Amino acid sequence: MPSHSSASVRFSPNLTGYIPLTIFLGVLVYISLNAPNFVTMRNLELVLMQSLPVVLVCAGLAAVVMAGGDDVVSGGIDLSIPATAVLSAGVTAQMLTAGWPLALCSAAALAACLVVGAVNALLVTRMGMTPLLATLAMFVAVVGVNNVITESRRINVDHTWIVALRSQDVVGVPLGITLTAAIVTLIFFLLHLTRFGLGLQAVGGSRDAAETSGLNVSRLFAMSFVVAALTGFLCGFFLLARGAGSSPGVQDNLMLEMVLATFVGAAFSPRRVVTLWGAVLGAVLVTAISIGFKSMGVNVFWTGLIKGSLIVVVVALAAVSNRVR
């Protein structure tokens, strides 16, 4: 009898962890059967190109979750990354239209994003705020700052390097995809093949054990917010490329897709935990669903409702899986 009970406990979290992925695959099958030209190489390239901003913010969120644990309330989470990305895009677009060179625009955007990351780290590790509340507050504040900078208007950008991100090819592969793959590879190296990354994962696995082994838990957790801010900074350029400029309101949908993709990506992990590659695959899946619904003519408000419902399902199942485990 005890062995049977133990087997059930081991089985239940695994089964629960697969449910979100099963739902996603079912939705994709439905879309592929009803959306015209969905399963084509041209559409696959479109999905990959459109997913690049989501991939980058998901990589940043994965770093924070890996450092703080995958409990969405008391663990590691950073909801401000999409707002940071929009701030990066807004500062860059505003300065480019004023005639500043791209290098100085990038430096200013980087400084602004690092401030966001530093404030997040301060609120969480020094002031003791929960990451969920701290980063949600920062999301609202950063969006407000960006609206002041851009005056809540769209700013068109036609700079050569920005245009190249969406239209230039490298050996037949779009430049944007090539650069994003390189960035994700560098983040993987940082998180998995360096002393810093291993310490980060040790903190996320068990803070008590990490402290006992002599790791500076607060410092490592704080640095994860800086890594997230850097991904937001880089994402800003891909937002400019994807939308041919800076547009207000982009951060809302980006946050939905980031949370959904990152946590559904946990289904790709043998331990059902958030990982970098799982988050990247989740970002592509979420983008494919968005494009699929659009090609089917589904109203954008219904698409948002579906995404919101999927987030509830994914987060709820993650909580159930953690409790059973």
Side-chain angles (χ1 to χ4, degrees), residues 47-84:
V47 169
L48 291 176
M49 289 296 295
Q50 292 293 308
S51 70
L52 299 183
V54 188
V55 166
L56 291 172
V57 294
C58 284
L61 179 57
V64 177
V65 173
M66 290 168 64
D70 56 2
D71 188 307
V72 294
V73 176
S74 60
I77 194 165
D78 187 349
L79 298 180
S80 69
I81 307 174
T84 306

Side-chain angles (χ1 to χ4, degrees), residues 9-304:
V9 171
R10 286 196 303 268
F11 173 74
S12 297
N14 290 337
L15 179 62
T16 305
Y18 277 121
I19 292 177
L21 183 59
T22 303
I23 294 173
F24 263 71
L25 293 178
V27 172
L28 285 175
V29 170
Y30 174 79
I31 291 173
S32 64
L33 294 175
N34 292 274
N37 302 318
F38 183 74
V39 188
T40 61
M41 289 301 298
R42 182 176 181 181
N43 190 67
L44 176 60
E45 181 179 323
L46 174 63
V47 169
L48 291 176
M49 289 296 295
Q50 292 293 308
S51 70
L52 299 183
V54 188
V55 166
L56 291 172
V57 294
C58 284
L61 179 57
V64 177
V65 173
M66 290 168 64
D70 56 2
D71 188 307
V72 294
V73 176
S74 60
I77 194 165
D78 187 349
L79 298 180
S80 69
I81 307 174
T84 306
V86 170
L87 177 64
S88 174
V91 170
T92 303
Q94 182 74 9
M95 293 183 67
L96 282 175
T97 56
W100 292 88
L102 181 60
L104 288 179
C105 300
S106 302
L110 175 60
C113 293
L114 289 177
V115 168
V116 176
V119 173
N120 279 331
L122 178 66
L123 292 176
V124 173
T125 62
R126 297 299 181 185
M127 299 188 65
M129 293 181 65
T130 60
L132 180 66
L133 294 178
T135 59
L136 180 60
M138 281 300 294
F139 175 91
V140 176
V142 172
V143 170
V145 171
N146 183 65
N147 287 339
V148 171
I149 293 173
T150 63
E151 298 178 351
S152 297
R153 73 187 194 281
R154 172 177 170 79
I155 304 175
N156 296 320
V157 174
D158 58 358
H159 191 278
T160 304
W161 287 103
I162 301 297
V163 173
L165 284 178
R166 68 170 181 271
S167 60
Q168 189 70 38
D169 287 354
V170 178
V171 196
V173 180
L175 177 61
I177 294 177
T178 302
L179 289 177
T180 301
I183 292 169
V184 171
T185 301
L186 287 173
I187 295 174
F188 174 82
F189 177 83
L190 176 67
L191 296 180
H192 292 275
L193 301 177
T194 66
R195 184 176 180 179
F196 166 76
L198 295 177
L200 211 66
Q201 294 184 57
V203 172
S206 174
R207 295 192 182 187
D208 292 338
E211 287 180 346
T212 302
S213 63
L215 293 176
N216 190 328
V217 173
S218 295
R219 180 176 178 275
L220 286 167
F221 194 23
M223 288 302 296
S224 71
F225 289 102
V226 177
V227 172
L230 287 173
T231 62
F233 161 70
L234 295 171
C235 177
F237 295 93
F238 288 88
L239 287 177
L240 290 175
R242 188 176 71 174
S246 171
S247 300
V250 175
Q251 68 280 344
D252 297 329
N253 186 59
L254 189 58
M255 183 172 73
L256 281 176
E257 294 184 338
M258 176 189 72
V259 174
L260 181 56
T262 302
F263 284 94
V264 79
F268 293 103
S269 166
R271 296 188 296 120
R272 308 293 172 262
V273 295
V274 171
T275 64
L276 176 61
W277 296 117
V280 170
L281 291 173
V284 176
L285 282 178
V286 169
T287 305
I289 288 177
S290 298
I291 292 177
F293 281 144
K294 185 176 182 179
S295 63
M296 289 173 60
V298 176
N299 188 287
V300 64
F301 298 111
W302 279 105
T303 301

